[in-house]
Amino acid sequence: MASQSAHDHAGHAHTHAEPVALAPTPASALALARRLVKESGGRNTGARRNVLACLIAAERALSHGEIEAQLADSDLDRVTLYRVLEWLVEQSLAHRVGGLSGFDRAMRFAFSRPEHGHAHAHAHFQCVQCGTTMCLDEVAVPALSVPNGIQLQGIELAAYGYCARCAEQNKSVAVS
């Protein structure tokens, strides 16, 4: 059996659960997006910058529809959004998180923090009530031993349950 470590980041989208000093302002998110897209060597288009800035500013992973709604004032069409998201994933500027717990099975996208590097494999959490999906950056995905000949491209480690907000709401309802 060949031992292979999980390193695929292009299979998940989510919210980052690690402590962050302050959520980035729209201006700072756009400035960071502009810099990261430029550093990628790709065309620095408004669509790429705006979608990445949307992901940077988000406190959770966003579905295609949520990104589309947040950028409704722009001239971004659905096909361009799909292409931009794929490009961001290819450049390791974003990553996908599959529908984890059956909440809605929608693919979500999250900003890939540069300080974690491309190979940062981690777990994800999805709330079964509201669908909030977040990265659990502090939870490492274990190496997986696979049979010879298998070329492992990634591992998804998912947890699900109630987020703090929904758990508190449920507790309040049960007490009433």
Side-chain angles (χ1 to χ4, degrees), residues 26-128:
S28 66
L30 190 56
L32 178 56
R34 178 175 282 111
R35 181 177 64 81
L36 292 172
V37 171
K38 182 178 180 182
E39 288 173 1
S40 75
R43 288 183 42 232
N44 201 345
T45 67
R48 289 176 177 178
R49 290 188 305 267
N50 291 337
V51 172
L52 183 56
C54 182
L55 295 176
I56 291 168
E59 294 182 7
R60 60 186 180 84
L62 301 174
S63 69
H64 183 275
E66 290 170 322
I67 297 167
E68 193 172 34
Q70 286 192 23
L71 299 176
D73 292 340
S74 71
D75 60 354
L76 186 67
D77 62 75
R78 185 174 296 243
V79 172
T80 302
L81 177 55
Y82 277 114
R83 288 181 180 152
V84 167
L85 288 169
E86 287 302 313
W87 184 84
L88 291 172
V89 169
E90 288 170 8
Q91 300 304 309
S92 300
L93 295 173
H95 60 277
R96 290 184 207 102
V97 177
L100 303 176
S101 67
F103 174 78
D104 64 4
R105 301 260 182 222
M107 181 66 65
R108 288 178 168 75
F109 295 84
F111 173 54
S112 294
R113 297 172 183 265
E115 64 270 20
H116 292 156
H118 174 68
H120 178 68
H122 57 273
H124 296 99
F125 172 84
Q126 185 174 55
C127 179
V128 296

Side-chain angles (χ1 to χ4, degrees), residues 121-162:
H122 57 273
H124 296 99
F125 172 84
Q126 185 174 55
C127 179
V128 296
Q129 185 168 322
C130 69
T132 295
T133 305
M134 63 184 68
C135 295
L136 301 175
D137 289 316
E138 67 283 357
V139 179
V141 175
L144 185 65
S145 182
V146 298
N148 287 329
I150 290 180
Q151 295 180 344
L152 192 62
Q153 293 189 324
I155 299 172
E156 285 195 28
L157 180 59
Y160 54 92
Y162 295 97

